[in-house]
């Protein structure tokens, strides 16, 4: 069980590294004014999303559900776990929306400013804070 937990934490860290950095790339991409720079951002965004973020998300979910499988009735009887899983579902939706944005930038269809992406970048921070508090403190 400890190996499963260790790998879950490792892939959570990797997923969040990608989910923090990808919207930051969107900030810079939205502000970029030269074609060469925009093309470079397209490559970086694609590689980060497909090569790091998405595999890390999948492995996070696999190891997370593997952990739950050790005691499903124990975990699902606790309110904090329900709240955590809701936040994870929101984060998964955020992740897939980032994938949509990768395609929007790839196709040169972005209409939002870098300021929007600066705010958009804060969503996973709030989710991370809430999830860590739920898992460590178990307030309910």
């Amino acid at each position: 069980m400890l190996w499963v937990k260790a790998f879950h934490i490792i892939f959570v860290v990797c997923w969040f590294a990608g989910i923090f950095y990808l919207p930051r790339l969107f900030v810079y991409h939205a502000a970029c004014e030269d074609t060469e720079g925009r093309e470079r951002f397209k490559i970086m965004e694609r590689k980060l999303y497909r090569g790091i973020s998405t595999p890390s998300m999948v492995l996070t979910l696999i190891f997370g559900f593997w952990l739950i499988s050790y005691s499903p009735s124990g975990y699902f009887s606790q309110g904090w776990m329900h709240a955590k899983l809701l936040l994870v579902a929101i984060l998964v939706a955020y992740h897939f929306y980032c994938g949509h944005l990768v395609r929007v930038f790839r196709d040169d269809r972005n209409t939002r400013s870098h300021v929007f992406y600066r705010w958009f970048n804060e969503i996973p921070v709030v989710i991370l804070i809430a999830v860590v508090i739920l898992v460590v403190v178990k307030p309910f």
Side-chain angles (χ1 to χ4, degrees):
M1 181 171 156
L2 291 178
W3 282 101
V4 175
K5 186 182 284 190
F7 281 109
H8 177 64
I9 292 168
I10 289 165
F11 290 115
V12 166
V13 170
C14 294
W15 185 22
F16 269 94
I19 216 79
F20 284 156
Y21 190 51
L22 186 59
R24 179 54 50 181
L25 289 175
F26 296 156
V27 170
Y28 301 139
H29 194 159
C32 187
E33 296 180 5
D34 64 287
T35 303
E36 184 178 311
R38 286 192 297 269
E39 293 304 314
R40 186 177 322 113
F41 282 117
K42 289 176 188 181
I43 293 167
M44 293 169 67
E45 291 158 358
R46 178 181 48 81
K47 287 184 176 186
L48 179 59
Y49 183 75
R50 283 205 227 156
I52 297 171
S53 296
T54 299
S56 296
M57 176 194 68
V58 169
L59 290 166
T60 294
L61 296 174
I62 288 170
F63 283 102
F65 285 115
W66 190 351
L67 280 172
I68 290 172
S69 76
Y70 287 118
S71 179
S73 60
Y75 283 118
F76 287 122
S77 67
Q78 301 177 53
W80 66 267
M81 179 58 81
H82 293 275
K84 175 193 173 185
L85 291 175
L86 174 63
L87 290 170
V88 169
I90 292 168
L91 191 63
V92 168
Y94 179 91
H95 175 92
F96 285 116
Y97 186 68
C98 283
H100 165 74
L101 292 173
V102 167
R103 291 184 298 278
V104 166
F105 277 106
R106 177 197 66 201
D107 298 338
D108 296 318
R109 294 184 292 117
N110 177 55
T111 59
R112 294 196 167 108
S113 75
H114 65 93
V115 175
F116 169 83
Y117 293 109
R118 286 182 195 281
W119 286 103
F120 180 73
N121 193 38
E122 300 307 319
I123 294 169
V125 174
V126 173
I127 292 173
L128 177 63
I129 290 167
V131 167
V132 169
I133 290 170
L134 285 168
V135 171
V136 173
V137 178
K138 297 178 177 64
F140 49 89

